[in-house]
Amino acid sequence: MSFRATILTLYPEMFPGALGVSLAGRALETGTWSLETVQIRDFATDRHRTVDDTPAGGGAGMVMRADVLARAIDSASPLGDPRPRLLMSPRGKPLTQARVRELAAGPGAVILCGRFEGVDQRVIDARQLEEVSIGDFILSGGEPAALVLLDAVVRLLPGVMGNEASGTEESFENGLLEHPHYTRPQVFEDRPIPEVLISGNHGKIAGWRREEAERLTQERRPDLFATYEKPANGKKSLPKA
Ligand code: SAH
């Protein structure tokens, strides 16, 4: 069974966008996942195909209408659809690698992309939309956020990544940021590759990588480091060479 993504948007032409090339694009072609877009405007009922209106209570901008969105959602994801219904939103729970893994293990996702000031709260409540944020900043619309979420999910689908191992040895997978990487040439502008990495001693290399990962995490992400449990025997969690 392949992962089915349905995107509700005012800009279907933004998809598959970046997901049409490279690993995700190939997986799309071979049917590892599928992508369907739904034009929200098709569910407007007036002559001008209006999807938004002024905010109740006044203020700047426009709000996407609950009735139009509900019709679009009900058409794209009828009762009994097992897929989670997500709303891209800066107010949502920040997306994590753990949530990405859960989504990748499931049947797919129905993703609503907001525009303007956002969407009428009543459709969020009535259709039980899960609000998901990709970070503490404001985009002009949910479409780039949906592309980000899907990119993270699709690379985890079985067979998408060439080297399966790299999927479990990344930043966040073990509660740490990843160690630094090096490759040829041996010396670049007077900077050699750290000696331990060319020692051939796999135990030492694993130890160095874990220390570097811990150091970087402590420096850059004290929030992550606070919840990281240092492996007791000094051997757990970090990538083998
Ligand atoms: N007025 C809103 C921002 C609206 S931005 C507020 O202050 O919270 C318009 C749309 O872009 C949103 O409805 C959402 O779908 C999308 N969007 C903006 N920033 C986002 C983020 N960080 N993560 C996910 N979606 C985002």
Side-chain angles (χ1 to χ4, degrees):
M1 206 184 50
S2 75
F3 184 93
R4 274 179 64 216
T6 300
I7 310 283
L8 285 74
T9 172
L10 291 172
Y11 300 98
E13 63 274 25
M14 290 190 181
F15 298 88
L19 300 181
V21 296
S22 189
L23 292 182
R26 210 166 316 133
L28 188 56
E29 264 168 38
T30 57
T32 303
W33 69 293
S34 67
L35 177 64
E36 173 196 22
T37 55
V38 172
Q39 170 54 273
I40 293 167
R41 210 171 282 288
D42 290 346
F43 296 87
T45 48
D46 65 321
R47 206 160 61 81
H48 301 290
R49 306 217 297 159
T50 309
V51 297
D52 57 331
D53 211 325
T54 53
M62 300 293 273
V63 176
M64 294 177 90
R65 286 174 58 125
D67 54 348
V68 177
L69 290 176
R71 280 193 294 273
I73 293 166
D74 294 345
S75 156
S77 179
L79 219 67
D81 185 343
R83 296 174 297 167
R85 291 190 285 254
L86 314 181
L87 167 64
M88 303 319 296
S89 160
R91 269 189 344 211
K93 236 198 199 165
L95 186 62
T96 60
Q97 189 63 14
R99 184 69 184 120
V100 166
R101 274 204 178 275
E102 278 172 14
L103 288 169
V110 178
I111 306 176
L112 175 57
C113 301
R115 280 273 153 183
F116 319 117
E117 290 309 315
V119 313
D120 188 308
Q121 182 62 37
R122 291 169 297 177
V123 73
I124 302 176
D125 299 337
R127 293 299 178 274
Q128 286 142 21
L129 305 182
E130 173 189 340
E131 294 184 70
V132 179
S133 167
I134 64 160
D136 291 345
F137 42 78
I138 305 294
L139 301 166
S140 53
E143 289 80 7
L147 288 167
V148 165
L149 180 143
L150 284 175
D151 181 280
V153 167
V154 167
R155 62 188 286 283
L156 294 182
L157 298 176
V160 173
M161 269 189 307
N163 175 7
E164 294 286 341
S166 64
T168 54
E169 297 180 354
E170 310 272 7
S171 289
F172 308 120
E173 292 287 3
N174 55 14
L176 292 175
L177 303 179
E178 203 184 40
H179 57 80
H181 297 288
Y182 298 87
T183 186
R184 276 181 287 270
Q186 194 108 323
V187 178
F188 165 69
E189 295 181 353
D190 298 329
R191 296 159 191 267
I193 293 176
E195 206 153 327
V196 55
L197 296 181
I198 43 183
S199 68
N201 182 332
H202 294 300
K204 263 187 152 173
I205 293 172
W208 180 86
R209 286 180 168 164
R210 193 187 53 251
E211 278 164 27
E212 285 293 294
E214 288 174 358
R215 180 181 64 77
L216 284 173
T217 310
Q218 195 164 17
E219 249 172 55
R220 299 180 182 182
R221 292 293 302 274
D223 59 318
L224 274 185
F225 197 71
T227 58
Y228 165 67
E229 270 185 52
K230 201 175 162 121
N233 58 6
K235 268 190 178 152
K236 227 187 76 197
S237 56
L238 254 220
K240 286 147 261 134

